[in-house]
Amino acid sequence: MKDHNNLESNNDLESNSKNKSLLDSFIPYKMLNLLGKENIKDVRLGDQIEKELTILFADIRGFTKLSEEMTPKENFDFINSYLLKMEKIIVEHNGIIDKFLGDGIMAIFPTSADTALKSACLMLEEIKTFNNSRIANNESPIKAGIGLNTGLCMLGTIGGPSSMECTVISDAVNLASGLEKLTKNYQVNLLIGENTFNNLNEKNKFCIRFIDRVIVKGKSQPQSVYEVFDNDCEESKRLKTETKSIFEEALAHYHYREIEIAKDLLEKCLTINPKDKPVEIYLERCNDYLAKGIDQRVQELIHPVEWDDSFNTGHKEIDSQHFQLFTTSMKLINSVNKNIDKSESIKLLAFLDDYVTHHFRTEEKFLEANNYPFLERQKRQHRNFIKSFETIKMEILNEEKSKIFLMFRIQIFLVDWLVNHTLREDQHFAKYFKSLDGE
C-alpha cells in the first residue's frame, strides 16, 4: 500500500511537471517576468510596463505559393520544422517569441541590439542549412526577410476577460514590421532601422551599408534604413564591401537629386558586382526619374527641415541647446556645400565638438536629478552619437570624400539624429515629467 501511494505521488509529480511544461509553451513566462509577474495567476488585464526592446519580424518569402504545393499536413509539418529551428536560436539569444504569424515570427529582445542582430544573422544562416536538406529531398529552397528596430515599447496584457494575451505595442514595433516588408522591395534578407544601427555597440562586427532614407507611415521625419549582408555568399559579401563607399555616395547624390551622377556611380558598382540587387533597383529608379522628371521615393533634401515648437521639451535651457545644435549642423552642411573656405567648417566642427559634450552633460544632469528611469539609455545614445560625430569630423578633415557625400553624412548622422532624437526620446522625458506633475 505504501509503495502504491508513492507511485501515485510520483505520477502526480510527473503529471504536474508535464502540465507546467505544456503551459510554458503557451504562456510566455519570460514576458510575464518582464512584467514583474512570477505566476500567470498574478496577471491582470491592462498590466503594463515600459521597456527598451529590439523587435524582430521574420517572414518566409512566397509562402502562399509554396503552400499550394503541399497537403494540409505537409503545411503543418513544414511550418513546425521551420519555426522550431528559428525559435531555438531566438531563445538562445535571450529573445522572447511574442507571437507566430503563420509562417512569420514576431520576437522581442530585452538585452542589446547587438544580440538581436546576431540572432537574426544566425536565423538566416540556419535557413541555409534548412535549405540544404530541402534540396536533398528535391524540395524548393525558401527565402526569408527579417526586419529589426529598437525603441521604447509598452509591454502588457490586452484583450478582454475571456481572451487575453501579453504583447508589445509601440511605433518601434510598427517600424520593425515595415522594415521586414521592405526587404521585398530591395530583394535583401535583413534590414535594420536607424535606432537599431545607432544602438549597436560593435558595428564593425557586422557587414552593414546604408540603403535608404524613408518616411514611415504616420511620421513626418525620415528614418535611415540599413542593409545587413553578413549572410550573403562570400563573393557577394566581398563585393558589397568593396563597393560600399561607391554605393553610399551614389545614394547621397540620388537623395540630393543629382540623378545623372548617381546613375554613373551605380553603373560602376554594377560593373564590379553584377548581382547586386539594390544597385539594380536604384538604377531603375534613376532611369524612371530621368524619363519622368520625378520620383516620389527621392527625399527632398533640397528643402531642409525647419525647427518649430514641436521640438520643445518645456525645459528652456535644453530647448535652447537643441536649437543651437540644429542650426550649427545646418550651417555645417551649408559650409561644406559652398566649399569656399575650409576654416569655416573647421570652426563649426570645433564648436559642435565642445557644445555636444556640454549639452549632453546638461541633459543628463537634469534627468539624473529628476530620477528619469531611462537615463542610462539616453547616456548610451549620447555616447553613440559622439562616435558618429568623430567619424564625420575625420571625413571632413581628411578631404577624401565629395561634398555631396559629406553633406549627406551630416544630414543623416547629425541633423536627422538630432531631429528624431528630440522628437522621440526627448519628448518622451518631457511627457514623463508632465505625467508626474499631473498625478
Side-chain angles (χ1 to χ4, degrees):
M1 189 69 169
K2 186 177 180 180
D3 290 340
H4 178 68
N5 288 336
N6 284 339
L7 182 60
E8 284 186 341
S9 177
N10 288 335
N11 286 339
D12 287 342
L13 287 172
E14 185 178 349
S15 177
N16 289 336
S17 176
K18 286 181 179 179
N19 287 337
K20 185 180 184 305
S21 177
L22 183 61
L23 190 60
D24 286 348
S25 299
F26 283 95
I27 306 297
Y29 271 93
K30 286 185 179 179
M31 196 175 284
L32 296 183
N33 290 337
L34 288 179
L35 270 174
K37 309 292 182 181
E38 294 184 2
N39 193 305
I40 189 65
K41 295 178 181 179
D42 299 328
V43 178
R44 299 290 180 269
L45 185 64
D47 284 343
Q48 57 188 266
I49 190 169
E50 194 165 22
K51 290 274 188 183
E52 181 185 48
L53 302 168
T54 297
I55 303 98
L56 177 150
F57 277 86
D59 190 60
I60 297 175
R61 294 286 164 262
F63 178 71
T64 301
K65 183 179 179 181
L66 185 66
S67 65
E68 288 172 353
E69 302 170 0
M70 304 181 195
T71 66
K73 183 181 184 307
E74 287 171 338
N75 258 298
F76 266 92
D77 290 345
F78 166 78
I79 286 292
N80 282 325
S81 63
Y82 164 75
L83 294 178
L84 181 66
K85 296 175 187 298
M86 299 300 104
E87 182 195 34
K88 184 174 184 292
I89 294 169
I90 290 167
V91 171
E92 285 176 350
H93 290 82
N94 299 311
I96 303 168
I97 302 290
D98 180 285
K99 56 178 65 73
F100 293 119
L101 306 160
D103 59 302
I105 299 170
M106 175 186 170
I108 61 173
F109 292 82
T111 51
S112 69
D114 298 71
T115 302
L117 183 52
K118 183 179 179 182
S119 176
C121 290
L122 288 172
M123 288 167 68
L124 290 170
E125 204 60 34
E126 181 62 33
I127 288 173
K128 290 182 183 179
T129 305
F130 186 66
N131 280 335
N132 288 337
S133 64
R134 287 184 61 79
I135 292 169
N137 292 326
N138 294 318
E139 296 170 329
S140 302
I142 63 169
K143 291 183 179 180
I146 299 178
L148 286 178
N149 189 45
T150 303
L152 287 175
C153 305
M154 291 305 300
L155 183 150
T157 54
I158 61 171
S162 61
S163 181
M164 183 171 65
E165 69 171 299
C166 194
T167 190
V168 177
I169 299 173
S170 80
D171 287 341
V173 174
N174 299 335
L175 180 54
S177 176
L179 291 172
E180 179 271 308
K181 291 177 175 63
L182 278 178
T183 59
K184 302 175 188 176
N185 294 9
Y186 301 103
Q187 297 182 43
V188 297
N189 294 320
L190 176 55
L191 293 176
I192 62 174
E194 68 176 47
N195 301 333
T196 297
F197 180 81
N198 289 330
N199 275 282
L200 290 173
N201 295 313
E202 297 180 296
K203 293 184 179 75
N204 294 334
K205 287 192 173 181
F206 301 97
C207 298
I208 305 174
R209 65 178 181 177
F210 174 87
I211 201 167
D212 210 346
R213 184 172 178 266
V214 300
I215 293 181
V216 182
K217 185 178 180 181
K219 297 294 178 182
S220 59
Q221 299 304 322
Q223 299 277 327
S224 293
V225 179
Y226 297 85
E227 176 195 3
V228 181
F229 54 94
D230 288 65
N231 298 93
D232 282 22
C233 68
E234 287 304 316
E235 182 185 18
S236 174
K237 194 156 58 173
R238 177 178 63 81
L239 293 174
K240 281 185 178 180
T241 302
E242 183 182 332
T243 58
K244 177 181 173 180
S245 60
I246 307 171
F247 177 68
E248 291 186 340
E249 182 160 352
L251 298 199
H253 285 279
Y254 172 82
H255 282 281
Y256 271 103
R257 298 204 170 190
E258 294 192 342
I259 305 300
E260 291 281 9
I261 299 174
K263 183 180 176 183
D264 289 344
L265 290 167
L266 290 165
E267 287 174 343
K268 186 177 179 181
C269 282
L270 207 59
T271 300
I272 299 170
N273 187 9
K275 296 181 180 179
D276 195 331
K277 287 295 182 183
V279 172
E280 289 182 9
I281 289 163
Y282 269 103
L283 270 172
E284 288 176 11
R285 289 188 186 184
C286 288
N287 289 328
D288 284 347
Y289 186 93
L290 293 171
K292 301 173 184 176
I294 190 169
D295 185 344
Q296 296 299 326
R297 293 162 297 196
V298 181
Q299 296 305 321
E300 287 277 11
L301 287 177
I302 52 176
H303 300 302
V305 63
E306 295 182 359
W307 200 266
D308 59 43
D309 290 343
S310 66
F311 293 87
N312 292 333
T313 65
H315 187 291
K316 289 185 179 180
E317 185 178 10
I318 289 175
D319 290 339
S320 174
Q321 290 177 2
H322 282 160
F323 180 72
Q324 185 67 63
L325 284 169
F326 174 80
T327 54
T328 306
S329 297
M330 296 303 293
K331 285 178 183 177
L332 183 60
I333 290 178
N334 190 49
S335 172
V336 170
N337 185 31
K338 288 180 177 177
N339 203 24
I340 299 171
D341 186 359
K342 189 179 176 183
S343 63
E344 177 67 19
S345 296
I346 293 173
K347 188 191 301 182
L348 291 166
L349 284 170
F351 173 82
L352 284 170
D353 211 352
D354 290 335
Y355 203 80
V356 162
T357 304
H358 169 63
H359 165 65
F360 287 162
R361 190 182 298 120
T362 300
E363 192 171 272
E364 288 168 12
K365 285 175 69 176
F366 168 71
L367 298 180
E368 185 174 14
N370 288 276
N371 298 314
Y372 182 58
F374 299 103
L375 171 62
E376 290 306 314
R377 181 171 188 269
Q378 285 275 17
K379 286 182 176 180
R380 185 177 69 251
Q381 293 196 358
H382 292 167
R383 288 194 299 269
N384 288 337
F385 175 86
I386 289 170
K387 288 180 185 177
S388 295
F389 177 74
E390 288 298 320
T391 300
I392 290 172
K393 185 167 66 173
M394 293 304 297
E395 288 174 344
I396 292 173
L397 296 176
N398 287 344
E399 299 181 319
E400 294 177 354
K401 304 291 185 179
S402 72
K403 73 174 186 178
I404 289 294
F405 178 80
L406 293 175
M407 289 165 61
F408 192 64
R409 296 277 282 181
I410 296 167
Q411 179 68 48
I412 63 174
F413 285 118
L414 297 189
V415 177
D416 283 357
W417 185 92
L418 182 62
V419 169
N420 287 322
H421 184 81
T422 303
L423 287 174
R424 184 178 58 246
E425 310 300 336
D426 294 342
Q427 287 299 322
H428 182 275
F429 75 65
K431 290 176 183 176
Y432 175 80
F433 292 132
K434 284 177 183 176
S435 70
L436 293 182
D437 290 340
E439 290 180 354

